[in-house]
Amino acid sequence: MPEPSIYFRDRIATSDDEGHRKWVFARLPKGRHTTRRHWVALVLILLFVVTPFIKVAGEPFILLDVINRHFILFGRVFWPQDTYLLGIAMLTFVVFVVLFTVVYGRLWCGWACPQTIFLEIIFRRIESWIEGSAAKQQVAHQKPKTSGWYLRRLLKIIVFASVILVAVNVFLSYFISADSMISAWRTGFTDYHRTMIAMIVMTAAGTFVYAWFREQACTILCPYGRLQGTLTDNDTIMVVYDYLRGEPRGRTKDGDGRCGDCIDCHNCVQVCPTGIDIRNGTQLECINCTACIDACDAIMTRLGKPVGLIRYASEKGISKGTKQHFTGRMAFYTTVLTGLLIFLSVLIIKRTEVETTILRTPGILFQRNEDGTFSNLYNYKIVNKTRKDINLSFKLLQPKGELRLIGNQPSVMNGASAEGVFFILIDSSMVVTHEMKIEIGLFDDGHQVELLESSFIGPMDKSKP
Ligand code: SF4
Ligand code: SF4
């Protein structure tokens, strides 16, 4: 029969020997990390709620209109033509996540993941107001269910669903815009059937997750959580138990007359939202929420011992008994992470809103005209990435000559593209080499939006006809 403390190697903490679910009744933590996490959560929730209402030049600050395949990020419009940017952004994101996790572990899970913020900081509190403390909930769970229990459970589900409904409305505003969401409610969703279906499905799914599925989203479902074992190593900063200082645990000395700082009070286990005992070492279920740090710090303070028996540290730091420092490895990875973010920002900033390509028409060299000019034929393609229709005009800037458009000046609808052809005519006296560089300006309402370069072909020997 294995010791109870090593059961964790065989199964997750929220499952019993038969594989049935063991409900977690986590006590609400208190302490400096919890206070900080609440502030971070408040800022993130505010950002989440306010962002869809922010507008830049009349357009949403962020809009992810997947159905119509157009996106606005930080006030800049992106169309399907920007797929390459999306690819680079996703690649950067993956590299960022990997490097960040290698160095800082599951900082995201504990401090910024919506699942943790909603479950641990919002819903667990609502639950304790309606159903009482974790201990009360546990006792009620083990006893036969009364009508009072069912009523409280119903009230809890209604309150959960109401909060989730608000969150889902905000979330959907990122995809159809806050204005559309408000209009959907005003018109009773008459023109927004898909939005209404999405809202109902997501609210039902959210209520199911927070009222029933809960911590299993982190321990079973989340792919990021599953990747932790491969992304972290002995140098990764995580919430860890200082076994050198804590063991042997208990209030009495062991056979060698030794007694560690851990008094085996189980406070760290009682506050753990995934039901694990951090003293068993790093486990996949640990979301690095810091609740056990605060619980243990409170005990250490009461005992008059230094806090930090459970703390942020690396496995190597604990085994060597050293304090966590900002190492060269951390500095290197952080520099790479910053570099990646700068690289992506530059790509986004440098991206032009009107993208034009000009190519000399293949198969045609040059023409000698009767008026003493040489001409080349060009094909152009303009992609309008703005949210407005634009009427553009071309002008030859370098060298002196004429740009003769075939057809009308290009008019490009928002998010669309236009193609056409034009001639460039240059006086033969200006054609000094067989192939020369030319510069063409693209103008929108007299304002130059792009400077384009191409080449102009002339004869090898001008004297020959
Ligand atoms: S809270 Fe601290 S002292 Fe209590 S069991 Fe956990 S590690 Fe040991
Ligand atoms: S072990 Fe500690 S940090 Fe990890 S999930 Fe449990 S309470 Fe949070």
Side-chain angles (χ1 to χ4, degrees), residues 239 268 271-274 276 278 285-292:
V239 173
C268 52
V271 293
C272 179
T274 58
I276 60 168
I278 191 67
E285 296 98 317
C286 177
I287 54 168
N288 278 229
C289 71
T290 70
C292 54

Side-chain angles (χ1 to χ4, degrees), residues 23-29 124 127-129 131-142 214 270-272:
W23 282 85
V24 176
F25 298 96
R27 228 180 57 207
L28 292 179
R124 223 179 267 283
E127 195 169 57
S128 74
W129 293 331
E131 296 187 330
S133 66
K136 259 192 192 165
Q137 289 171 36
Q138 190 163 15
V139 171
H141 180 75
Q142 282 155 356
R214 296 162 78 91
Q270 287 160 12
V271 293
C272 179

Side-chain angles (χ1 to χ4, degrees), residues 165 168-169 172 176 181 184-185 188-203:
L165 180 65
V168 165
N169 271 273
L172 287 174
I176 67 164
M181 206 64 218
W185 276 96
F189 288 89
T190 37
D191 293 328
Y192 295 89
H193 292 127
R194 282 189 303 203
T195 307
M196 188 173 70
I197 293 168
M199 186 177 73
I200 293 170
V201 170
M202 290 169 81
T203 305

